[in-house]
Amino acid sequence: MKLATLRLPRRTAAARIDGDHAVEIGRPDVGALLADPEWREVAAAADGPWHPLSTADLAPVVPRPGKIICVGLNYRTHILEMGRELPEYPTVFAKFAESLIGPYDDIVLPAVSQVMDWEAELAVIVGTTARNVTPEQATACIAGYSVLNDVTARDYQTRTLQWLQGKTFEATTPFGPYLVTPDEVAGTPMTVECAVDGEVMQQADAGDLVFSPAQLIAYLSEILTLRPGDVIATGTPGGVGHARKPPRYLADGSKVVTRVSGVGELVNTARRHG
């Protein structure tokens, strides 16, 4: 099953994707849907108004998650090729909901930074409350997967040892287009890819993650309670602009395509503001 949040006149609506159409579920967004313990049954049975997917205006799939937790240094091959040791524990930081944009919205390049960088990521959306769960139990806590680009202001990120200020600029983080339930991608490789102006910059198999989605949920649930609609961005592979020689960053008009095979694709244009 695939779910999305539609932008409609004066409201939003959670929808199930049926072929070329989006079918309203009767909830204001996917986050609100996930708050219902019977969300799978509700979504599967819904038969609300239909909308052509070709003209649908999609919001971030979960517009206002209670938590957005991101993971750094999580692709095994990239870590080893840089001569680093594999981490013992996940490196985690946060973003805020104000940073999120829809899957086809413009990425805002803020006036205060000239070094905005791309970071393609597989996103995990939590479907049930999780506290002190094991990795085996954590698998059942995954509502589904989505695509996220953790666009980063590298200069603000490196101003201090804490990364948050470079990671959560407003209207910089495309997220969506869908929540894809685990059964839809079971047994198939998920390739994470980012192309900028038609050139593939990042490409890696999500199977190369040091800490899997279930391991991340288990670890984070030791720290705090994860709730339905919370989002975990699992990390980005090699190929970011900041590491290139010479470095390369997003410019006004840059087209950024972020995809995870079997999950979906984001298509965004960077626009300079101010």
Side-chain angles (χ1 to χ4, degrees), residues 67 69 126 128-132 220-228 230:
K67 293 182 279 296
I69 302 174
V126 177
T128 60
T129 300
R131 176 67 170 157
N132 292 319
L220 293 169
S221 79
E222 296 174 359
I223 301 168
L224 76 177
T225 301
L226 297 175
R227 303 189 187 281
D230 285 348

Side-chain angles (χ1 to χ4, degrees), residues 34 56 62 97-98 101 132 134 139 152 167 181 183 191 200 214 223 226 230 261-262 266:
L34 294 177
V62 180
E98 286 80 2
I101 59 173
N132 292 319
T134 66
T139 299
T152 301
K167 293 288 189 175
T181 53
D183 58 290
T191 301
V200 175
I223 301 168
L226 297 175
D230 285 348
S261 56
L266 312 171

Side-chain angles (χ1 to χ4, degrees), residues 55-75:
T55 57
D57 183 8
L58 300 185
V61 61
V62 180
R64 296 199 65 82
K67 293 182 279 296
I68 307 168
I69 302 174
C70 303
V71 181
L73 302 174
N74 200 26
Y75 275 86

Side-chain angles (χ1 to χ4, degrees), residues 153-164:
R154 294 299 186 192
D155 47 356
Y156 276 72
Q157 179 188 5
T158 56
R159 282 184 172 185
T160 70
L161 296 178
Q162 300 299 318
W163 293 355
L164 183 142

Side-chain angles (χ1 to χ4, degrees), residues 103-233:
Y104 313 121
D105 294 345
D106 288 347
I107 297 168
V108 172
L109 301 180
V112 294
S113 178
Q114 303 299 314
V115 288
M116 300 297 289
D117 200 357
W118 55 85
E119 291 194 6
E121 308 206 13
L122 171 69
V124 177
I125 302 173
V126 177
T128 60
T129 300
R131 176 67 170 157
N132 292 319
V133 298
T134 66
E136 293 73 23
Q137 293 169 329
T139 299
C141 299
I142 298 173
Y145 302 99
S146 195
V147 187
L148 183 145
N149 198 312
D150 180 25
V151 174
T152 301
R154 294 299 186 192
D155 47 356
Y156 276 72
Q157 179 188 5
T158 56
R159 282 184 172 185
T160 70
L161 296 178
Q162 300 299 318
W163 293 355
L164 183 142
Q165 60 190 337
K167 293 288 189 175
T168 197
F169 268 82
E170 191 153 327
T172 56
T173 305
F175 175 40
Y178 314 121
L179 179 158
V180 178
T181 53
D183 58 290
E184 294 273 344
V185 293
T188 61
M190 289 190 285
T191 301
V192 179
E193 183 178 294
C194 182
V196 179
D197 294 328
E199 182 180 354
V200 175
M201 298 294 183
Q202 297 180 278
Q203 190 174 69
D205 188 332
D208 195 41
L209 290 170
V210 177
F211 303 102
S212 69
Q215 289 173 314
L216 291 172
I217 287 175
Y219 180 76
L220 293 169
S221 79
E222 296 174 359
I223 301 168
L224 76 177
T225 301
L226 297 175
R227 303 189 187 281
D230 285 348
V231 176
I232 301 169

Side-chain angles (χ1 to χ4, degrees), residues 1-4 6 14-19 21-25 42-48 50:
M1 184 161 49
K2 292 183 179 180
L3 306 173
L6 305 178
R16 183 185 71 243
I17 305 304
D18 282 359
H21 289 81
V23 184
E24 289 191 43
I25 295 172
V42 170
D47 191 22
W50 287 50

